[in-house]
């Protein structure tokens, strides 16, 4: 494994000494995999709580347009003009 950095190599040698027998043909995530997964799960949980808090502040009710009810044909003409500009 010549591509490994010095810190990764040091971590692997320390983790390998904790194992009684390391099978080179068997790949397991181990403790490091669990820690990474747990940190990612906590990050997603925190982001979901934050999103829920922010979404509860949003007002989904649309304010009534005061000029929309005054003329029936004027609103259609404005919509047609907006489509023509695209």
């Amino acid at each position: 494994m010549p591509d490994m950095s010095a810190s990764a190599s040091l971590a692997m040698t320390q983790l390998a000494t904790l194992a009684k027998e390391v099978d080179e043909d068997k790949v397991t995530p181990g403790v490091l995999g669990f820690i990474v997964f747990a940190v990612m799960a906590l990050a997603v949980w925190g982001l979901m709580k934050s999103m829920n808090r922010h979404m509860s502040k949003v007002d989904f009710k649309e304010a009534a347009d005061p000029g929309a009810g005054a003329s029936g044909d004027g609103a259609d003409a404005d919509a047609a003009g907006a489509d023509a500009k695209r």
Side-chain angles (χ1 to χ4, degrees), residues 57-81:
K57 294 179 184 178
V58 175
D59 183 21
F60 288 105
K61 293 183 182 175
E62 210 173 296
D65 190 13
S71 62
D73 292 335
D76 293 336
D78 289 341

Side-chain angles (χ1 to χ4, degrees), residues 16-48:
T17 57
L18 297 175
K20 293 180 183 177
E21 179 179 310
V22 177
D23 186 9
E24 296 293 328
D25 298 328
K26 187 177 182 181
V27 178
T28 61
V31 176
L32 182 63
F34 174 75
I35 291 171
V36 169
F37 181 78
V39 167
M40 288 174 56
L42 285 172
V44 168
W45 178 76
L47 287 171
M48 292 296 289

